[in-house]
Amino acid sequence: MFAIARLSIRCSAVLLGLLLASPVMAQTDRLYPHGGEVVLGKIKSISKNGIVMTVSGKDQTFNAGTIEKVLFQGDPGELTQGREFAIDNQFDQAIAELKTVDASKLNREPQKADFAYYVMYCQAQQALSGNGDLRSAASAALGFIQQNTDSWHFYETAKLLGDLAVKLGSYDQASKYYGSLRSAPSTETKIESLYLNALVKLAQNKDSEAASDLQKIVGLGVQSSEGARLQTLAKAALAIATAKQGKGKEALEMVNELIAKLNPTDTETAAEIYNAQGASYVAMGDTEGALLAYLHTQLMFSTHPGPHSEALKQLAELWTKVGKPDRAAEARSELQQRYPGLGG
């Protein structure tokens, strides 16, 4: 009887030792690449260019632009949930959840930086949609990047600073922040830098310069789904640049080609395409066509503040032009209620 008990204890001890020594038990952190399977391992180092993770005894490098999220061993549930809400663009819920995190119990520096990033990110996104103070958000983003120069969120924050600068009308600053993305290790981030700077030029009515940059993106041989998405966005922006130069028919042909190949799951890109269609019709003097295009964005893509608010602004003007002040007032009212800081 005692011999059996000793054997049972010995077997349990051996099994426990094997488990503790196994690679699975050593894998404490989880990294989620964009479009890839979760990677289990232990984070070895973090820099603005990405993360080195030890996986089954071997180091693997993940570039910053290829990482969707990281879950650190020891993350409190509130941080995990808040992070998920933020990634899902549910910023109110994210902030409510993150407010319950006890920051004093975050024992790892990467955890602390991740927590600070998502708090700052959600507040900035609210400000960009007209539901927060843009200058305060820009100050918080700049503070994060200064205090966390080795964060893998560095380039994401630089883009955020560019977005905030555009909303504030500080186009030179926006170009500077967007330009810094060219130093990122990810090819897609470099393409995004060129695309975003082209949008700044469009906002400044430098239409021919913007068109030239966008044409460069269109001509690239992209190798990834994200690269292809950026190329589609560049084509939509190129149509707007073309329309602004008085070539509405040519712009409309470009947009209709994009609509024919629309990815139904990428609703944000679809919204930008329909807004480009609206701009094309405006350039042609076709008010009815423009109304239908912008209405499509208003009704179908209301979850994307940028293109949705733009559509509402355009609709307010177009309804007035066709002598329907009630519909114009409805568009302005929705704009002011949904995006109070964006005017209308």
Side-chain angles (χ1 to χ4, degrees):
M1 183 79 167
F2 290 113
I4 293 174
R6 284 195 297 272
L7 179 61
S8 176
I9 292 170
R10 189 180 302 116
C11 288
S12 297
V14 170
L15 179 59
L16 180 60
L18 287 171
L19 285 171
L20 290 173
S22 71
V24 173
M25 290 300 291
Q27 294 170 334
T28 57
D29 302 312
R30 287 174 286 173
L31 185 149
Y32 292 76
H34 285 295
E37 296 293 325
V38 58
V39 180
L40 302 177
K42 185 175 181 62
I43 289 177
K44 182 176 181 180
S45 64
I46 298 177
S47 73
K48 68 179 183 179
N49 288 327
I51 294 175
V52 177
M53 189 176 225
T54 303
V55 182
S56 300
K58 295 182 179 179
D59 290 348
Q60 293 185 25
T61 299
F62 300 88
N63 289 338
T66 67
I67 302 168
E68 179 186 354
K69 64 183 176 184
V70 177
L71 275 61
F72 302 94
Q73 166 119 13
D75 276 352
E78 299 86 354
L79 175 54
T80 300
Q81 189 62 56
R83 184 190 288 120
E84 292 300 319
F85 278 134
I87 292 169
D88 200 33
N89 296 329
Q90 299 182 61
F91 303 118
D92 289 343
Q93 297 93 320
I95 288 174
E97 198 71 35
L98 292 169
K99 280 182 178 178
T100 66
V101 174
D102 186 349
S104 67
K105 293 183 179 179
L106 299 177
N107 298 319
R108 300 172 63 185
E109 290 304 316
Q111 270 183 322
K112 295 175 184 177
D114 219 45
F115 170 64
Y117 170 76
Y118 284 106
V119 170
M120 175 276 297
Y121 174 77
C122 291
Q123 292 172 342
Q125 290 295 343
Q126 286 188 320
L128 286 167
S129 66
N131 293 289
D133 185 77
L134 288 166
R135 294 191 184 280
S136 294
S139 178
L142 190 59
F144 174 83
I145 217 168
Q146 290 171 340
Q147 295 167 25
N148 299 277
T149 53
D150 287 331
S151 170
W152 69 273
H153 294 296
F154 181 91
Y155 291 110
E156 293 174 335
T157 308
K159 177 186 178 298
L160 202 54
L161 280 164
D163 294 344
L164 291 162
V166 168
K167 289 292 185 183
L168 288 165
S170 302
Y171 297 120
D172 289 344
Q173 284 293 102
S175 294
K176 170 187 157 187
Y177 291 127
Y178 289 151
S180 70
L181 302 182
R182 289 196 297 270
S183 301
S186 164
T187 299
E188 290 76 14
T189 306
K190 295 178 192 295
I191 296 172
E192 188 174 28
S193 174
L194 186 58
Y195 168 69
L196 292 170
N197 265 310
L199 295 187
V200 172
K201 291 174 182 177
L202 269 181
Q204 295 175 290
N205 294 319
K206 298 177 180 178
D207 304 322
S208 60
E209 290 181 37
S212 177
D213 289 345
L214 292 164
Q215 193 64 61
K216 290 175 186 176
I217 298 173
V218 172
L220 292 173
V222 297
Q223 303 295 324
S224 66
S225 58
E226 176 60 16
R229 187 185 74 87
L230 285 166
Q231 210 164 44
T232 299
L233 286 168
K235 289 176 181 178
L238 179 59
I240 292 175
T242 302
K244 288 179 70 178
Q245 294 177 83
K247 304 172 186 175
K249 185 177 180 181
E250 183 181 333
L252 186 61
E253 289 173 357
M254 295 164 63
V255 173
N256 287 342
E257 283 184 22
L258 294 177
I259 291 174
K261 301 174 183 177
L262 209 61
N263 177 357
T265 64
D266 188 356
T267 54
E268 186 169 13
T269 299
E272 297 289 1
I273 291 171
Y274 275 101
N275 278 3
Q277 186 185 53
S280 301
Y281 279 124
V282 167
M284 294 171 63
D286 186 344
T287 304
E288 183 178 344
L291 278 167
L292 289 173
Y294 287 120
L295 274 170
H296 199 103
T297 300
Q298 179 197 10
L299 300 174
M300 300 297 293
F301 308 120
S302 61
T303 57
H304 303 294
H308 186 243
S309 60
E310 175 62 22
L312 289 170
K313 287 179 183 178
Q314 296 295 333
L315 285 168
E317 293 182 14
L318 290 166
W319 285 126
T320 300
K321 187 177 289 187
V322 297
K324 294 192 175 181
D326 291 347
R327 295 298 299 270
E330 287 175 10
R332 289 193 190 94
S333 177
E334 184 177 353
L335 179 65
Q336 290 164 354
Q337 289 176 10
R338 291 283 300 271
Y339 316 106
L342 300 183

